[in-house]
Each structure stands twice: as C-alpha cells, then as structure tokens.
C-alpha cells in the first residue's frame, strides 16, 4: 500500500510541476500576444473584455487538461 501511495504522490508532484510550467508559458504567451488588445477592451468595452477573459480561462483549462492527459498517457506507456 505504501508503494502505491508513494507512486501516486510522485505522479501528483510531476503533474503539479508540469501544470506550473504550462500555466507560466500560457500567461507569458497571452501577455505578449494579447496585452494591447486586452487593455483596449478593458478600457473601452468592459462587457466584451469580461467575456473574452472568461473564454481565455476556459480555453486554458481545457488545453492544459488535454496536454497533461496526453503527456501522462505517453509517460505511463513508456514506464511499462
């Protein structure tokens, strides 16, 4: 039982590290590419900005989930 718990903890730590790297990359990518446009929306079209921000959050969640799922499927196959 302890071996399985250690394995799960290790997988969780790896997933957390991968998520941290991906979220940081996503943040800087959006910041670099969309900064001026988002600032314009925030200043002039608040409701549109709110919708775009929520959509960006949703896209980030779905994309990160898909990437980490594929990554861990690959790692599990390779570890066998």
């Amino acid at each position: 039982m302890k071996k399985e718990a250690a394995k799960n903890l290790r997988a969780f730590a790896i997933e957390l590290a991968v998520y941290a790297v991906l979220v940081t990359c996503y943040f800087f990518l959006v910041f670099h590419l969309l900064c001026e446009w988002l600032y314009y929306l925030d200043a002039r079209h608040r409701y549109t900005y709110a919708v775009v921000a929520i959509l960006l959050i949703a896209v980030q969640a779905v994309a990160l989930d898909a990437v980490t799922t594929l990554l861990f499927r690959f790692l599990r196959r390779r570890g066998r």
Side-chain angles (χ1 to χ4, degrees):
M1 185 68 175
K2 287 185 180 183
K3 194 172 191 177
E4 189 174 322
K7 189 176 179 180
N8 286 338
L9 184 61
R10 182 176 173 263
F12 176 73
I14 292 170
E15 187 172 352
L16 190 63
V18 169
Y19 257 83
V21 169
L22 290 176
V23 167
T24 303
C25 291
Y26 175 81
F27 170 77
F28 284 112
L29 181 72
V30 168
F31 186 75
H32 178 71
L33 296 176
L34 301 177
C35 184
E36 291 179 29
W37 183 64
L38 289 173
Y39 179 76
Y40 169 78
L41 283 179
D42 182 40
R44 311 248 168 144
H45 305 285
R46 290 261 173 167
Y47 295 117
T48 306
Y49 172 76
V51 170
V52 168
I54 290 171
L55 287 174
L56 283 172
I57 292 168
V59 167
Q60 173 192 347
V62 170
L64 287 177
D65 185 51
V67 167
T68 54
T69 299
L70 291 173
L71 178 66
F72 282 106
R73 282 185 186 167
F74 174 73
L75 289 175
R76 284 186 190 143
R77 265 194 236 147
R78 195 167 171 218
R80 289 183 181 179

